[in-house]
Amino acid sequence: MKLQPAVHIAAGGHPVALASADFDRDGRPDVAATCVADQAVVLLLGSKGGLRRTLPCKTGEFPSAVVAGDWNGDGKPDLATANYSSGDVSVLLNQGPRAQRLRSASSPCARVL
C-alpha cells in the first residue's frame, strides 16, 4: 500500500480518540474526534474536497474515548464518549434529517450543515 502525504486538519484542543460513521448520511465517511482540552467532540465531515470541521459539542471532563452506534434505534449514527475525569459517559444523539445536529442531555451541540 502506498499512502499520500498526510493532510492536517485542526480538530481542537488535544484530540485523543476517533470514531468514524456517516453522521450526515451523505454516503461519505465522517470522523468524530474527542478533544480533551476543550471537553468536546468535533465532527469532521467528509466531502468531495476532503474533511471539513464543525463546531464542537460539549462532553464530560477529559473525553478519552469515543464510539459511534445507533443508541436510540432511529437508524442514525450517534456518539458516546467515556469521560475520564468526570467519571461518566456522554451520549450525543444524532438529531434531525441528514444529521442536522448532535444533541446531548447536558449541552448545546454542533450544527452539522
Coordinates of all heavy atoms in Angstrom, one line a residue:
M1 N 0.8 -1.2 0.0 CA 0.0 0.0 0.0 C 0.9 1.2 0.0 O 1.9 1.3 0.7 CB -0.9 0.0 1.3 CG -1.6 1.2 1.4 SD -2.9 1.3 2.7 CE -2.0 0.9 4.2
K2 N 0.5 2.2 -0.8 CA 1.2 3.5 -0.8 C 0.3 4.6 -0.4 O -0.8 4.7 -0.9 CB 1.7 3.8 -2.3 CG 2.5 5.0 -2.3 CD 3.1 5.2 -3.7 CE 3.9 6.5 -3.7 NZ 4.5 6.8 -5.0
L3 N 0.7 5.4 0.6 CA -0.2 6.4 1.1 C 0.3 7.8 0.6 O 1.5 8.0 0.4 CB -0.1 6.4 2.6 CG -0.6 5.2 3.3 CD1 -0.4 5.3 4.8 CD2 -2.1 4.9 3.0
Q4 N -0.7 8.7 0.4 CA -0.4 10.1 0.0 C 0.1 10.8 1.3 O -0.1 10.3 2.4 CB -1.6 10.8 -0.5 CG -2.1 10.2 -1.8 CD -3.3 10.9 -2.3 OE1 -3.9 11.8 -1.6 NE2 -3.8 10.6 -3.5
P5 N 0.8 11.9 1.1 CA 1.3 12.7 2.2 C 0.1 13.1 3.1 O -1.0 13.3 2.6 CB 1.9 13.9 1.6 CG 2.3 13.5 0.2 CD 1.3 12.5 -0.2
A6 N 0.3 13.2 4.4 CA -0.8 13.5 5.4 C -1.3 14.9 5.2 O -0.6 15.8 4.8 CB -0.2 13.4 6.8
V7 N -2.6 15.0 5.4 CA -3.3 16.3 5.4 C -3.6 16.6 6.9 O -4.2 15.8 7.5 CB -4.5 16.3 4.5 CG1 -5.3 17.6 4.7 CG2 -4.2 16.0 3.1
H8 N -3.3 17.8 7.4 CA -3.5 18.1 8.8 C -4.7 19.0 8.9 O -4.8 20.0 8.2 CB -2.3 18.7 9.4 CG -1.1 17.9 9.4 ND1 -0.9 16.9 10.3 CD2 -0.1 17.8 8.5 CE1 0.3 16.3 10.0 NE2 0.7 16.8 8.9
I9 N -5.7 18.6 9.7 CA -7.0 19.4 9.9 C -7.1 19.7 11.4 O -7.0 18.8 12.2 CB -8.2 18.5 9.5 CG1 -8.0 18.1 8.0 CG2 -9.5 19.3 9.7 CD1 -9.0 17.0 7.6
A10 N -7.2 21.0 11.7 CA -7.4 21.4 13.1 C -8.7 20.9 13.6 O -9.7 21.1 13.1 CB -7.3 22.9 13.2
A11 N -8.6 20.1 14.7 CA -9.7 19.5 15.3 C -10.1 20.2 16.6 O -11.3 20.3 17.0 CB -9.5 18.0 15.6
G12 N -9.1 20.7 17.3 CA -9.4 21.4 18.6 C -8.3 21.0 19.6 O -7.2 20.5 19.2
G13 N -8.5 21.3 20.9 CA -7.5 21.1 21.9 C -7.3 19.6 22.2 O -8.1 19.0 22.9
H14 N -6.1 19.1 21.8 CA -5.7 17.8 22.2 C -6.6 16.7 21.8 O -7.2 16.0 22.7 CB -5.3 17.7 23.7 CG -4.4 18.8 24.1 ND1 -3.0 18.8 23.8 CD2 -4.6 19.9 24.9 CE1 -2.4 19.8 24.3 NE2 -3.3 20.5 25.0
P15 N -6.8 16.4 20.5 CA -7.6 15.3 20.1 C -7.0 14.0 20.5 O -5.7 13.8 20.3 CB -7.7 15.4 18.6 CG -6.6 16.2 18.2 CD -6.2 17.1 19.4
V16 N -7.7 13.1 21.1 CA -7.1 11.8 21.6 C -7.8 10.5 21.1 O -7.2 9.5 21.2 CB -7.1 11.7 23.2 CG1 -6.2 12.8 23.7 CG2 -8.5 11.8 23.8
A17 N -9.0 10.6 20.6 CA -9.7 9.4 20.2 C -10.6 9.8 18.9 O -11.1 10.9 18.8 CB -10.6 8.9 21.3
L18 N -10.8 8.8 18.1 CA -11.5 9.0 16.8 C -12.6 7.9 16.7 O -12.4 6.7 17.1 CB -10.6 8.9 15.6 CG -9.5 9.9 15.6 CD1 -8.6 9.6 14.4 CD2 -10.0 11.3 15.5
A19 N -13.7 8.2 16.0 CA -14.7 7.3 15.6 C -15.1 7.7 14.2 O -15.1 8.9 13.9 CB -15.9 7.2 16.5
S20 N -15.5 6.7 13.4 CA -16.0 7.0 12.0 C -17.4 6.5 11.8 O -17.7 5.3 12.2 CB -15.0 6.5 11.0 OG -15.4 6.8 9.7
A21 N -18.2 7.2 11.1 CA -19.5 6.8 10.6 C -20.0 7.9 9.6 O -19.3 8.9 9.5 CB -20.5 6.7 11.8
D22 N -21.1 7.6 9.0 CA -21.6 8.6 8.0 C -22.7 9.4 8.8 O -23.9 9.2 8.7 CB -22.3 7.9 6.8 CG -22.8 8.9 5.8 OD1 -22.5 10.1 5.9 OD2 -23.4 8.4 4.8
F23 N -22.2 10.4 9.6 CA -23.1 11.2 10.5 C -24.1 12.0 9.8 O -25.2 12.2 10.2 CB -22.3 12.0 11.5 CG -21.4 11.2 12.4 CD1 -20.0 11.2 12.2 CD2 -21.9 10.5 13.4 CE1 -19.2 10.4 13.1 CE2 -21.2 9.7 14.2 CZ -19.8 9.7 14.1
D24 N -23.7 12.6 8.6 CA -24.7 13.4 7.9 C -25.4 12.7 6.8 O -26.1 13.3 6.0 CB -24.0 14.7 7.4 CG -22.8 14.4 6.4 OD1 -22.5 13.2 6.2 OD2 -22.2 15.3 5.9
R25 N -25.2 11.4 6.7 CA -25.9 10.5 5.8 C -25.8 10.9 4.3 O -26.8 10.8 3.6 CB -27.3 10.3 6.3 CG -27.4 9.9 7.7 CD -28.7 9.8 8.3 NE -29.3 8.5 7.8 CZ -30.6 8.2 7.9 NH1 -31.4 9.0 8.6 NH2 -31.1 7.1 7.4
D26 N -24.6 11.4 3.9 CA -24.4 11.8 2.5 C -23.6 10.7 1.7 O -23.3 10.9 0.6 CB -23.7 13.1 2.4 CG -22.3 13.1 3.0 OD1 -21.8 12.0 3.5 OD2 -21.6 14.1 2.9
G27 N -23.4 9.6 2.3 CA -22.7 8.5 1.7 C -21.1 8.6 1.8 O -20.4 7.7 1.3
R28 N -20.6 9.6 2.5 CA -19.2 9.7 2.7 C -18.9 9.5 4.2 O -19.6 10.0 5.0 CB -18.7 11.1 2.3 CG -18.9 11.4 0.8 CD -18.3 12.8 0.4 NE -18.5 13.1 -1.0 CZ -19.5 13.7 -1.5 NH1 -20.5 14.1 -0.8 NH2 -19.6 13.9 -2.8
P29 N -17.7 8.9 4.4 CA -17.4 8.7 5.9 C -17.0 10.0 6.5 O -16.4 10.8 5.9 CB -16.2 7.7 5.8 CG -15.7 7.8 4.4 CD -16.8 8.2 3.5
D30 N -17.4 10.1 7.8 CA -17.1 11.3 8.6 C -16.3 10.8 9.8 O -16.2 9.6 10.1 CB -18.4 12.0 9.1 CG -19.3 12.3 7.9 OD1 -18.9 12.9 6.9 OD2 -20.5 12.0 8.0
V31 N -15.7 11.7 10.5 CA -14.8 11.4 11.7 C -15.3 12.2 12.8 O -15.5 13.4 12.7 CB -13.3 11.7 11.4 CG1 -12.5 11.4 12.6 CG2 -12.9 10.8 10.2
A32 N -15.4 11.6 14.0 CA -15.6 12.3 15.3 C -14.3 12.2 16.1 O -13.7 11.2 16.2 CB -16.8 11.7 16.0
A33 N -13.9 13.4 16.6 CA -12.6 13.4 17.4 C -12.9 14.0 18.8 O -13.6 15.1 18.9 CB -11.6 14.3 16.7
T34 N -12.5 13.3 19.8 CA -12.6 13.9 21.1 C -11.5 14.8 21.4 O -10.3 14.5 21.0 CB -12.6 12.8 22.2 OG1 -11.4 12.1 22.2 CG2 -13.8 11.8 22.1
C35 N -11.7 16.0 22.0 CA -10.7 17.0 22.3 C -10.7 17.2 23.8 O -11.6 17.9 24.3 CB -11.0 18.2 21.5 SG -11.0 18.0 19.7
V36 N -9.7 16.7 24.5 CA -9.7 16.7 25.9 C -9.6 18.1 26.5 O -10.2 18.4 27.5 CB -8.7 15.8 26.5 CG1 -9.0 14.3 26.2 CG2 -7.3 16.1 26.1
A37 N -8.8 19.0 25.9 CA -8.6 20.3 26.4 C -9.9 21.1 26.3 O -10.2 22.0 27.1 CB -7.5 21.0 25.6
D38 N -10.7 20.8 25.3 CA -12.0 21.5 25.0 C -13.2 20.8 25.7 O -14.3 21.4 25.7 CB -12.3 21.6 23.5 CG -11.2 22.4 22.8 OD1 -10.6 23.3 23.4 OD2 -11.0 22.1 21.6
Q39 N -13.0 19.6 26.2 CA -14.1 18.8 26.8 C -15.2 18.7 25.8 O -16.4 19.1 26.1 CB -14.5 19.4 28.1 CG -13.5 19.4 29.2 CD -13.9 20.0 30.5 OE1 -15.1 19.9 30.8 NE2 -13.0 20.5 31.3
A40 N -14.8 18.3 24.6 CA -15.8 18.3 23.5 C -15.5 17.2 22.4 O -14.4 16.7 22.4 CB -15.8 19.7 22.8
V41 N -16.5 17.0 21.6 CA -16.3 16.2 20.4 C -16.5 17.2 19.2 O -17.3 18.0 19.2 CB -17.4 15.1 20.3 CG1 -17.4 14.4 18.9 CG2 -17.2 14.1 21.3
V42 N -15.6 17.0 18.2 CA -15.7 17.7 16.9 C -15.9 16.8 15.8 O -15.3 15.7 15.7 CB -14.4 18.5 16.7 CG1 -14.4 19.1 15.3 CG2 -14.2 19.6 17.7
L43 N -16.9 17.1 14.9 CA -17.1 16.3 13.7 C -16.3 16.9 12.6 O -16.3 18.1 12.4 CB -18.6 16.3 13.4 CG -19.5 15.5 14.3 CD1 -21.0 15.6 13.8 CD2 -19.1 14.1 14.5
L44 N -15.7 16.0 11.8 CA -15.0 16.3 10.6 C -15.8 15.6 9.5 O -15.8 14.4 9.4 CB -13.6 15.8 10.6 CG -12.7 16.3 11.8 CD1 -11.4 15.6 11.8 CD2 -12.6 17.8 11.7
L45 N -16.6 16.4 8.7 CA -17.5 15.8 7.7 C -16.8 15.6 6.4 O -16.1 16.4 5.9 CB -18.7 16.7 7.6 CG -19.5 17.0 8.8 CD1 -20.6 17.9 8.5 CD2 -20.1 15.7 9.4
G46 N -17.0 14.4 5.9 CA -16.4 14.1 4.6 C -17.2 14.8 3.5 O -18.4 14.9 3.5
S47 N -16.4 15.3 2.5 CA -16.9 16.0 1.3 C -16.1 15.7 0.1 O -15.0 15.0 0.3 CB -17.0 17.5 1.6 OG -15.7 18.0 1.7
K48 N -16.5 16.1 -1.0 CA -15.7 15.9 -2.2 C -14.2 16.4 -2.1 O -13.3 15.9 -2.6 CB -16.3 16.5 -3.4 CG -17.6 15.8 -3.9 CD -18.2 16.5 -5.1 CE -19.5 15.9 -5.4 NZ -20.1 16.5 -6.6
G49 N -14.1 17.5 -1.3 CA -12.8 18.1 -1.2 C -12.0 17.7 0.1 O -11.0 18.2 0.4
G50 N -12.5 16.7 0.8 CA -11.9 16.2 2.0 C -12.7 16.4 3.2 O -14.0 16.4 3.1
L51 N -12.1 16.5 4.4 CA -12.9 16.7 5.6 C -13.0 18.2 6.0 O -12.1 18.9 5.8 CB -12.2 15.9 6.7 CG -12.1 14.4 6.6 CD1 -11.2 13.8 7.7 CD2 -13.5 13.8 6.7
R52 N -14.2 18.5 6.5 CA -14.4 19.9 7.0 C -14.9 19.8 8.4 O -15.7 19.0 8.8 CB -15.3 20.7 6.1 CG -16.7 20.2 6.0 CD -17.6 21.0 5.0 NE -18.8 20.3 4.8 CZ -19.9 20.5 5.5 NH1 -19.9 21.3 6.6 NH2 -21.0 19.9 5.2
R53 N -14.4 20.8 9.2 CA -14.6 20.8 10.7 C -16.0 21.5 11.0 O -16.3 22.4 10.4 CB -13.5 21.5 11.4 CG -13.6 21.5 12.9 CD -12.4 22.3 13.4 NE -12.3 22.3 14.8 CZ -12.9 23.1 15.6 NH1 -13.7 24.1 15.1 NH2 -12.8 23.0 17.0
T54 N -16.7 20.9 12.0 CA -17.9 21.6 12.5 C -17.6 22.2 13.9 O -16.5 22.0 14.4 CB -19.0 20.6 12.7 OG1 -18.7 19.6 13.7 CG2 -19.4 19.8 11.4
L55 N -18.5 22.9 14.5 CA -18.4 23.4 15.8 C -18.3 22.3 16.8 O -18.9 21.2 16.6 CB -19.5 24.4 16.1 CG -19.6 25.6 15.2 CD1 -20.8 26.4 15.5 CD2 -18.4 26.5 15.4
P56 N -17.7 22.5 17.9 CA -17.6 21.4 19.0 C -18.9 21.2 19.7 O -19.7 22.1 19.8 CB -16.5 21.9 19.9 CG -16.5 23.4 19.7 CD -16.9 23.7 18.3
C57 N -19.0 20.0 20.2 CA -20.2 19.6 21.1 C -19.6 19.2 22.4 O -18.8 18.3 22.5 CB -20.9 18.4 20.4 SG -22.4 17.9 21.3
K58 N -20.1 19.9 23.5 CA -19.5 19.6 24.8 C -19.8 18.2 25.3 O -20.9 17.6 25.0 CB -20.1 20.6 25.8 CG -19.5 22.0 25.7 CD -18.1 22.1 26.0 CE -17.5 23.5 25.9 NZ -16.1 23.5 26.1
T59 N -18.8 17.6 26.0 CA -19.0 16.3 26.7 C -18.7 16.5 28.2 O -18.6 17.6 28.6 CB -17.9 15.4 26.1 OG1 -16.6 15.8 26.3 CG2 -18.1 15.2 24.6
G60 N -18.4 15.4 28.8 CA -17.9 15.5 30.2 C -16.4 15.8 30.2 O -15.8 16.1 29.2
E61 N -15.8 15.8 31.4 CA -14.4 16.1 31.5 C -13.5 15.0 31.0 O -13.6 13.9 31.4 CB -14.1 16.5 33.0 CG -14.9 17.7 33.5 CD -14.7 17.9 35.0 OE1 -13.6 17.4 35.5 OE2 -15.5 18.5 35.6
F62 N -12.5 15.4 30.2 CA -11.5 14.6 29.6 C -12.1 13.4 28.8 O -12.0 12.2 29.2 CB -10.5 14.0 30.7 CG -9.2 13.7 30.2 CD1 -8.1 14.5 30.4 CD2 -9.0 12.5 29.5 CE1 -6.8 14.1 29.9 CE2 -7.8 12.1 29.0 CZ -6.7 12.9 29.2
P63 N -12.8 13.7 27.7 CA -13.3 12.6 26.9 C -12.2 11.8 26.2 O -11.6 12.2 25.2 CB -14.2 13.4 25.9 CG -13.5 14.7 25.7 CD -12.9 15.0 27.1
S64 N -11.9 10.7 26.8 CA -10.7 9.9 26.4 C -11.0 8.8 25.4 O -10.1 8.2 24.8 CB -10.1 9.3 27.6 OG -11.0 8.5 28.3
A65 N -12.3 8.5 25.1 CA -12.7 7.5 24.1 C -14.0 7.9 23.5 O -14.8 8.6 24.2 CB -12.8 6.1 24.8
V66 N -14.2 7.5 22.3 CA -15.5 7.8 21.6 C -15.9 6.6 20.7 O -15.0 5.9 20.2 CB -15.4 9.1 20.7 CG1 -14.4 8.9 19.6 CG2 -16.7 9.5 20.2
V67 N -17.1 6.3 20.6 CA -17.6 5.2 19.8 C -18.9 5.7 19.1 O -19.7 6.5 19.7 CB -17.9 3.9 20.6 CG1 -18.9 4.1 21.7 CG2 -18.2 2.7 19.8
A68 N -19.1 5.2 17.9 CA -20.3 5.5 17.1 C -21.2 4.3 17.1 O -20.8 3.2 17.1 CB -20.0 5.9 15.7
G69 N -22.5 4.6 17.3 CA -23.5 3.5 17.2 C -24.9 4.1 17.2 O -25.1 5.3 17.4
D70 N -25.9 3.3 16.9 CA -27.3 3.8 16.9 C -27.9 3.6 18.3 O -28.6 2.6 18.5 CB -28.1 3.1 15.8 CG -29.5 3.7 15.7 OD1 -29.8 4.7 16.4 OD2 -30.3 3.1 14.9
W71 N -27.7 4.5 19.2 CA -28.1 4.3 20.6 C -29.6 4.4 20.8 O -30.1 3.8 21.8 CB -27.4 5.3 21.6 CG -25.9 5.3 21.3 CD1 -25.2 6.5 21.1 CD2 -25.0 4.3 21.2 NE1 -23.9 6.2 20.9 CE2 -23.7 4.8 21.0 CE3 -25.1 2.9 21.3 CZ2 -22.6 4.0 20.8 CZ3 -24.0 2.1 21.2 CH2 -22.7 2.7 20.9
N72 N -30.4 5.1 20.0 CA -31.8 5.2 20.2 C -32.6 4.5 19.1 O -33.8 4.6 19.1 CB -32.2 6.7 20.3 CG -31.9 7.5 19.1 OD1 -31.2 7.0 18.2 ND2 -32.3 8.7 19.1
G73 N -32.0 3.7 18.3 CA -32.7 2.9 17.3 C -33.4 3.6 16.2 O -34.3 3.1 15.6
D74 N -33.0 4.8 15.9 CA -33.6 5.6 14.8 C -32.9 5.5 13.5 O -33.3 6.1 12.5 CB -33.8 7.1 15.2 CG -32.4 7.8 15.3 OD1 -31.4 7.1 15.2 OD2 -32.4 9.0 15.6
G75 N -31.9 4.7 13.4 CA -31.2 4.4 12.1 C -30.1 5.4 11.8 O -29.5 5.4 10.8
K76 N -29.9 6.4 12.7 CA -28.8 7.4 12.5 C -27.7 7.2 13.5 O -28.0 6.9 14.7 CB -29.4 8.8 12.7 CG -30.5 9.2 11.7 CD -31.0 10.6 12.0 CE -32.2 10.4 12.9 NZ -33.1 11.5 13.0
P77 N -26.5 7.3 13.1 CA -25.3 7.1 14.0 C -25.2 8.2 15.0 O -25.3 9.4 14.7 CB -24.1 7.1 13.1 CG -24.5 7.9 11.9 CD -26.0 7.7 11.7
D78 N -25.1 7.7 16.3 CA -25.0 8.6 17.4 C -23.5 8.4 17.9 O -22.8 7.6 17.4 CB -26.0 8.3 18.5 CG -27.4 8.2 18.0 OD1 -27.8 9.2 17.4 OD2 -28.1 7.2 18.3
L79 N -23.2 9.2 19.0 CA -21.9 9.1 19.6 C -22.0 8.9 21.1 O -22.9 9.4 21.7 CB -21.0 10.4 19.3 CG -20.6 10.6 17.9 CD1 -19.9 12.0 17.8 CD2 -19.5 9.5 17.5
A80 N -21.0 8.2 21.7 CA -20.9 8.2 23.1 C -19.4 8.3 23.5 O -18.5 7.8 22.8 CB -21.4 6.8 23.7
T81 N -19.1 9.1 24.5 CA -17.8 9.3 24.9 C -17.6 8.8 26.4 O -18.5 8.9 27.2 CB -17.3 10.8 24.9 OG1 -18.1 11.6 25.8 CG2 -17.5 11.4 23.5
A82 N -16.5 8.3 26.7 CA -16.1 7.9 28.0 C -15.3 9.1 28.6 O -14.3 9.5 28.0 CB -15.3 6.6 28.1
N83 N -15.7 9.7 29.7 CA -15.1 10.9 30.2 C -14.4 10.5 31.5 O -14.9 10.3 32.6 CB -16.2 11.9 30.5 CG -17.1 12.2 29.3 OD1 -16.6 12.4 28.2 ND2 -18.4 12.1 29.5
Y84 N -13.0 10.5 31.4 CA -12.2 10.0 32.4 C -12.3 10.8 33.7 O -12.5 10.3 34.8 CB -10.7 10.0 31.9 CG -9.7 9.6 32.9 CD1 -9.5 8.3 33.2 CD2 -9.0 10.5 33.6 CE1 -8.6 7.8 34.1 CE2 -8.0 10.1 34.6 CZ -7.8 8.8 34.8 OH -6.9 8.4 35.7
S85 N -12.1 12.1 33.6 CA -12.1 13.0 34.9 C -13.5 13.1 35.6 O -13.5 13.1 36.8 CB -11.5 14.3 34.6 OG -10.2 14.2 34.2
S86 N -14.5 13.2 34.8 CA -15.9 13.3 35.4 C -16.5 11.9 35.7 O -17.5 11.9 36.4 CB -16.8 14.1 34.5 OG -16.9 13.6 33.2
G87 N -15.8 10.9 35.3 CA -16.3 9.5 35.6 C -17.7 9.2 35.1 O -18.4 8.5 35.7
D88 N -18.0 9.7 33.9 CA -19.3 9.4 33.3 C -19.2 9.2 31.8 O -18.1 9.2 31.2 CB -20.3 10.5 33.6 CG -19.8 11.9 33.1 OD1 -18.9 12.0 32.3 OD2 -20.5 12.9 33.5
V89 N -20.3 9.0 31.2 CA -20.4 8.8 29.7 C -21.4 9.8 29.2 O -22.4 10.0 29.7 CB -20.9 7.3 29.4 CG1 -21.2 7.2 27.9 CG2 -19.9 6.3 29.9
S90 N -20.9 10.5 28.1 CA -21.8 11.4 27.4 C -22.4 10.7 26.2 O -21.6 10.1 25.4 CB -21.1 12.6 26.9 OG -20.6 13.4 28.0
V91 N -23.7 10.7 26.0 CA -24.4 10.2 24.8 C -24.8 11.4 24.0 O -25.6 12.2 24.5 CB -25.6 9.3 25.2 CG1 -26.3 8.8 24.0 CG2 -25.1 8.1 26.0
L92 N -24.4 11.4 22.8 CA -24.7 12.5 21.9 C -25.6 12.0 20.7 O -25.1 11.2 19.9 CB -23.4 13.1 21.3 CG -22.5 13.6 22.4 CD1 -21.1 13.1 22.2 CD2 -22.6 15.1 22.5
L93 N -26.9 12.3 20.7 CA -27.8 11.7 19.8 C -27.8 12.6 18.5 O -27.9 13.8 18.5 CB -29.2 11.7 20.4 CG -29.3 10.8 21.6 CD1 -30.8 10.9 22.2 CD2 -29.0 9.4 21.3
N94 N -27.8 11.9 17.4 CA -27.9 12.5 16.1 C -29.4 12.9 15.8 O -30.2 12.1 15.7 CB -27.5 11.5 15.0 CG -27.3 12.0 13.7 OD1 -27.9 13.0 13.3 ND2 -26.5 11.3 12.9
Q95 N -29.6 14.2 15.8 CA -30.9 14.8 15.7 C -31.2 15.3 14.3 O -30.4 16.0 13.7 CB -31.1 15.9 16.7 CG -30.9 15.5 18.1 CD -32.0 14.7 18.6 OE1 -33.2 15.1 18.7 NE2 -31.7 13.5 19.1
G96 N -32.4 15.1 13.8 CA -32.8 15.7 12.6 C -32.4 15.0 11.3 O -31.5 14.2 11.3
P97 N -33.0 15.4 10.2 CA -32.7 14.8 8.9 C -31.3 15.2 8.5 O -30.8 16.3 8.7 CB -33.8 15.4 8.0 CG -34.2 16.7 8.6 CD -34.0 16.4 10.1
R98 N -30.6 14.2 7.9 CA -29.3 14.4 7.4 C -28.3 14.9 8.5 O -27.4 15.7 8.2 CB -29.2 15.3 6.2 CG -30.0 14.8 5.0 CD -29.6 15.4 3.7 NE -28.2 15.1 3.6 CZ -27.4 15.9 3.0 NH1 -27.8 17.0 2.4 NH2 -26.1 15.6 2.9
A99 N -28.5 14.5 9.7 CA -27.7 14.8 10.8 C -27.5 16.3 11.0 O -26.4 16.8 11.1 CB -26.3 14.2 10.7
Q100 N -28.6 17.0 11.0 CA -28.6 18.5 11.2 C -27.8 18.9 12.4 O -27.2 19.9 12.5 CB -30.0 19.0 11.2 CG -30.7 18.9 9.9 CD -30.1 19.8 8.8 OE1 -29.7 20.9 9.1 NE2 -30.0 19.3 7.6
R101 N -27.9 18.1 13.4 CA -27.2 18.4 14.7 C -27.0 17.2 15.6 O -27.8 16.2 15.4 CB -27.9 19.5 15.4 CG -29.3 19.1 15.8 CD -30.1 20.3 16.4 NE -31.4 19.9 16.5 CZ -32.4 20.3 15.8 NH1 -32.3 21.2 14.9 NH2 -33.7 19.8 16.0
L102 N -26.1 17.2 16.5 CA -26.0 16.2 17.5 C -26.5 16.9 18.8 O -26.4 18.1 18.9 CB -24.5 15.8 17.7 CG -23.9 15.0 16.6 CD1 -22.4 14.8 16.9 CD2 -24.6 13.7 16.5
R103 N -27.0 16.1 19.7 CA -27.5 16.7 20.9 C -27.2 15.8 22.1 O -27.3 14.6 22.0 CB -29.0 16.8 20.7 CG -29.8 17.4 21.9 CD -31.3 17.3 21.7 NE -31.9 17.7 22.9 CZ -32.7 18.8 23.0 NH1 -33.0 19.5 21.9 NH2 -33.3 19.1 24.1
S104 N -26.8 16.4 23.2 CA -26.7 15.7 24.5 C -27.7 16.3 25.5 O -28.2 17.3 25.3 CB -25.3 15.8 25.0 OG -25.1 17.1 25.6
A105 N -27.9 15.5 26.5 CA -28.9 16.0 27.6 C -28.3 17.2 28.3 O -29.1 17.9 28.9 CB -29.1 14.8 28.5
S106 N -27.0 17.4 28.3 CA -26.4 18.4 29.2 C -25.9 19.6 28.4 O -25.5 20.6 29.1 CB -25.3 17.8 30.0 OG -24.3 17.3 29.1
S107 N -25.9 19.7 27.1 CA -25.3 20.8 26.5 C -25.8 21.0 25.0 O -26.2 20.1 24.4 CB -23.7 20.7 26.4 OG -23.4 19.6 25.6
P108 N -25.7 22.3 24.6 CA -26.0 22.5 23.2 C -24.8 22.0 22.4 O -23.7 22.0 22.8 CB -26.1 24.1 23.1 CG -25.3 24.5 24.3 CD -25.4 23.5 25.3
C109 N -25.1 21.6 21.2 CA -24.0 20.9 20.4 C -23.9 21.4 19.0 O -24.6 22.3 18.6 CB -24.3 19.4 20.3 SG -24.3 18.6 22.0
A110 N -23.0 20.8 18.3 CA -22.6 21.3 16.9 C -23.8 21.1 16.0 O -24.5 20.1 15.9 CB -21.4 20.4 16.4
R111 N -23.9 22.1 15.1 CA -24.8 22.0 14.0 C -24.0 21.5 12.8 O -22.9 22.0 12.6 CB -25.4 23.4 13.6 CG -26.5 23.8 14.5 CD -27.2 25.0 14.0 NE -28.3 25.3 14.9 CZ -29.6 24.9 14.6 NH1 -29.9 24.3 13.5 NH2 -30.5 25.2 15.4
V112 N -24.5 20.5 12.2 CA -23.9 19.9 11.0 C -24.6 20.4 9.8 O -25.8 20.3 9.7 CB -23.9 18.4 11.1 CG1 -23.3 17.8 9.9 CG2 -23.3 17.9 12.4
L113 N -23.9 21.0 8.9 CA -24.5 21.6 7.7 C -24.7 20.6 6.6 O -24.0 19.7 6.4 CB -23.7 22.8 7.1 CG -23.4 23.9 8.2 CD1 -22.5 24.9 7.6 CD2 -24.7 24.5 8.6

